[in-house]
Amino acid sequence: MPPPADTRALNSVLHTIAVCRIRDGGRGQDYCLRKISEGKTPSEARRALKRRLSNVVYRIMKRDLRNHLAQAA
């Protein structure tokens, strides 16, 4: 069964962010180069960066939810 459309859309957004971070230099590119030097393929390094980005997004969403619930109480 294919993933829901919103999952595909989120994956597409994470992919775009990861590709831009790698292309534009900085911490994203450093992270990917470190993964490649550890023996990962470029695709695996990009996947690891996407996972790291998704963790950041998840933490922000949880924080925003906590703040919203605290204000509503």
Side-chain angles (χ1 to χ4, degrees):
M1 186 167 150
D6 55 341
T7 303
R8 280 193 294 266
L10 180 57
N11 187 52
S12 175
V13 169
L14 288 171
H15 176 80
T16 302
I17 294 169
V19 168
C20 290
R21 293 266 176 136
I22 293 166
R23 182 193 62 209
D24 295 342
R27 291 189 304 177
Q29 187 179 59
D30 294 343
Y31 181 79
C32 275
L33 292 174
R34 187 171 69 243
K35 288 295 181 182
I36 290 169
S37 71
E38 293 172 0
K40 303 278 187 198
T41 66
S43 295
E44 291 171 328
R46 187 175 56 249
R47 190 175 308 120
L49 179 59
K50 285 170 58 177
R51 188 174 310 111
R52 195 169 184 179
L53 290 167
S54 71
N55 290 340
V56 170
V57 170
Y58 180 72
R59 282 194 307 268
I60 291 170
M61 289 172 61
K62 281 181 57 174
R63 185 194 63 208
D64 288 350
L65 178 61
R66 276 195 314 269
N67 292 341
H68 177 72
L69 293 175
Q71 290 175 355

